[in-house]
């Protein structure tokens, strides 16, 4: 089983649509969880951290289900500028280890 | 807004040559990292650095790689004898440390080994 697994997509959605991405991770001892976005040939940019209680930042909502080892990202009212690859990122290590493990990413294309 | 910077943006080198990639992390951050991304593949962790020493490294980070913080601002990755398969985008990242695990990435150096 891959350490961090994502549906590669692409997800092609019209502007204004709601789209959801899912991610599973293999290590139940994982400590920290994030969503990053990556535009073509650019660096990963932190979108949001994911907390057990769930968290929201504007149009973006992230959820964590530790029992199922599952993370989700919901984007409401999609904009053209949301077109990017969304990376599910996990800190798999024991407390104090900081290496991030990246999924392969889910590509989103928002169409006019 | 403070950001991580990296130089050069693109480096072309011949197989067997040494290269040094440079990074300036965010100034109050305590942890520094190098990652790489081979074209079309996922981002992979190489090494983390804290308190002037390596705190963690991956299997990729073998004896041909080394890191250094030569002064109070720069953080470097050296590849001693480059191979064709070292061609990739190399990202530097930094994090505040303590309880903050979020990492912020620089724009990357594209390394092409010919």
């Amino acid at each position: 089983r891959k350490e961090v697994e994502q549906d590669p997509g692409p997800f092609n959605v019209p502007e204004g649509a709601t789209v959801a991405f899912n991610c599973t991770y293999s290590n139940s001892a994982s400590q920290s969880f994030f969503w990053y976005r990556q535009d073509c040939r650019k660096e990963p940019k932190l979108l949001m951290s994911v907390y057990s209680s769930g968290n929201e930042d504007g149009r973006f909502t992230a959820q964590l289900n530790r029992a199922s080892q599952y993370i989700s990202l919901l984007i409401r009212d999609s904009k053209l500028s949301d077109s990017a690859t969304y990376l599910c990122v996990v800190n798999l290590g024991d407390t104090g280890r900081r290496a991030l493990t990246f999924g392969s990413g889910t590509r989103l294309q928002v169409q006019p | 807004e403070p950001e991580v910077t990296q130089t050069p943006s693109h480096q072309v080198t011949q197989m067997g040559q040494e290269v040094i990639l440079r990074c300036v992390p965010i100034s109050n951050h305590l942890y520094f990292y190098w990652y790489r991304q081979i074209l079309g593949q996922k981002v992979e962790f190489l090494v983390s650095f804290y308190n002037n020493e390596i705190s963690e490294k991956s299997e990729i980070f073998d004896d041909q790689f080394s890191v250094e913080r030569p002064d109070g601002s720069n953080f470097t990755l050296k590849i001693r004898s480059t191979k064709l398969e070292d061609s990739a985008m190399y990202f530097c990242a930094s994090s505040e440390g303590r309880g903050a695990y979020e990492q912020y990435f620089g724009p990357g150096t594209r390394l092409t080994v010919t």
Side-chain angles (χ1 to χ4, degrees):
Chain A
R1 183 179 174 184
K2 290 182 185 174
E3 292 177 305
V4 180
E5 196 152 5
Q6 297 182 249
D7 180 344
F11 283 55
N12 294 302
V13 302
E15 269 185 292
T18 295
V19 61
F21 304 136
N22 303 319
C23 165
T24 56
Y25 59 94
S26 61
N27 190 329
S28 60
S30 298
Q31 301 291 320
S32 309
F33 310 89
F34 309 95
W35 284 101
Y36 281 73
R37 72 171 274 167
Q38 186 174 31
D39 294 286
C40 189
R41 294 179 180 261
K42 300 284 191 181
E43 75 273 24
K45 289 195 176 185
L46 179 65
L47 187 63
M48 57 200 306
S49 303
V50 187
Y51 305 118
S52 297
S53 54
N55 47 306
E56 187 173 310
D57 183 1
R59 298 181 293 110
F60 299 85
T61 301
Q63 298 276 354
L64 167 64
N65 184 323
R66 284 189 186 268
S68 302
Q69 295 176 211
Y70 170 95
I71 306 159
S72 66
L73 177 69
L74 184 79
I75 305 175
R76 287 181 299 278
D77 189 22
S78 300
K79 313 286 184 199
L80 294 175
S81 56
D82 293 333
S83 297
T85 296
Y86 289 83
L87 306 174
C88 178
V89 183
V90 177
N91 177 312
L92 284 171
D94 301 327
T95 302
R97 290 183 59 190
R98 292 172 176 266
L100 297 180
T101 298
F102 284 75
S104 298
T106 299
R107 196 154 64 88
L108 172 66
Q109 184 66 47
V110 181
Q111 293 161 338
Chain B
E1 184 178 318
E3 55 186 24
V4 177
T5 59
Q6 290 185 243
T7 54
S9 57
H10 190 190
Q11 173 97 43
V12 181
T13 190
Q14 288 191 324
M15 203 166 49
Q17 296 296 305
E18 175 184 286
V19 294
I20 297 177
L21 310 183
R22 291 183 165 80
C23 167
V24 179
I26 295 172
S27 63
N28 64 334
H29 284 189
L30 301 178
Y31 284 81
F32 315 120
Y33 313 86
W34 286 100
Y35 292 81
R36 78 171 187 191
Q37 186 174 31
I38 295 169
L39 188 63
Q41 297 186 25
K42 62 182 181 179
V43 177
E44 299 173 291
F45 170 75
L46 293 177
V47 65
S48 63
F49 192 85
Y50 171 71
N51 201 24
N52 283 319
E53 60 183 25
I54 290 173
S55 53
E56 210 178 334
K57 61 182 180 178
S58 72
E59 291 174 356
I60 303 168
F61 193 88
D62 60 22
D63 290 345
Q64 70 158 345
F65 290 94
S66 62
V67 289
E68 194 178 30
R69 187 152 164 84
D71 53 45
S73 59
N74 289 284
F75 178 52
T76 63
L77 174 70
K78 183 193 289 186
I79 309 175
R80 262 180 270 283
S81 178
T82 49
K83 306 184 183 80
L84 294 176
E85 55 264 36
D86 293 328
S87 295
M89 184 73 102
Y90 288 81
F91 294 111
C92 175
S94 68
S95 64
E96 283 184 39
R98 301 183 186 92
Y101 285 77
E102 290 85 356
Q103 296 182 20
Y104 298 89
F105 286 74
T109 293
R110 179 166 300 283
L111 177 66
T112 302
V113 182
T114 62

